[in-house]
Amino acid sequence: MKLLRLCTLILIVTLTSCSTVKVTTDYDTKVDFNSYKTFAFHKKGIDKATISDLDKKRVMRAIEAEMVAKGFTKSNDPDILISIFNKTRERVTVNNNNFGMGWGWGWGWNPWMWGGMSQANVNQYTEGTLFIDFIDRRKNELVWQGIGSGAMKFSNPERKDKRIKEFVKEIIERYPPGS
């Protein structure tokens, strides 16, 4: 019974650890972010992203939805331009789970401790990193950057869309700084 609970716990931790997005941000501390009210996409920057055009559309739709939800307006004369780029790399994790070790009585070596169960779990996945840049349009300077990294597993377009929305939401939640 304890073994079943332990296996279930390990499975839950493994599955949830793959679904998280690690986010970092950087920004210009001299900028008044409250002055930005409107946005548009920086086509030249987005065109350089190495993802498919369909994924670019997914990312841009997700960014637009998050920005509008924060009270920003999409404009032809924007305060900030939003650009994206991405990186991917293959990752492998190996976890060695030892079950049954430590059974026995007394101090020191115990011959009845042998026979525990050991299992190695190997997980191969693609880690993706999405960069979202906010550029002051009038100064043409980068003022804020959000970076999200996490596992990317897409078995169908609906799951891909959901994962991209999750990445964008986690990143945009950190804008503006101090919010």
Side-chain angles (χ1 to χ4, degrees), residues 33-39 67 70-75 77-80 175:
F33 290 95
N34 293 321
S35 66
Y36 300 128
K37 305 292 182 203
T38 60
F39 73 96
M67 293 298 288
K70 284 186 166 283
F72 289 84
T73 305
K74 192 172 180 183
S75 170
D77 185 28
D79 301 322
I80 55 175
Y175 182 84

Side-chain angles (χ1 to χ4, degrees), residues 16-23 128 147-151 163 166-168 170-171 174:
T16 57
S17 68
C18 292
S19 67
T20 60
V21 178
K22 297 176 197 126
V23 177
I147 306 164
S149 297
R163 186 67 171 147
E166 181 182 4
F167 260 70
V168 169
E170 292 287 327
I171 296 169
R174 308 283 171 91

Side-chain angles (χ1 to χ4, degrees), residues 9 49 63 89 92 102 132 158 169:
L9 178 64
I63 291 171
R89 68 180 179 171
V92 176
I132 301 177
E158 290 81 21
K169 181 178 178 57

Side-chain angles (χ1 to χ4, degrees), residues 68-137:
V68 168
K70 284 186 166 283
F72 289 84
T73 305
K74 192 172 180 183
S75 170
N76 290 328
D77 185 28
D79 301 322
I80 55 175
L81 295 171
I82 300 176
S83 185
I84 63 166
F85 65 98
N86 66 296
K87 293 181 184 178
T88 60
R89 68 180 179 171
E90 294 302 313
R91 300 288 305 239
V92 176
T93 59
V94 178
N95 296 313
N96 189 18
N97 301 316
N98 293 315
F99 303 105
M101 299 308 281
W103 293 341
W105 300 273
W107 296 92
W109 181 81
N110 187 333
W112 290 279
M113 286 179 62
W114 299 103
M117 188 170 74
S118 180
Q119 178 180 1
N121 294 321
V122 178
N123 185 21
Q124 182 176 358
Y125 62 96
T126 301
E127 180 181 75
T129 303
L130 176 64
F131 297 77
I132 301 177
D133 293 342
F134 286 19
I135 302 162
D136 183 304
R137 188 183 66 87

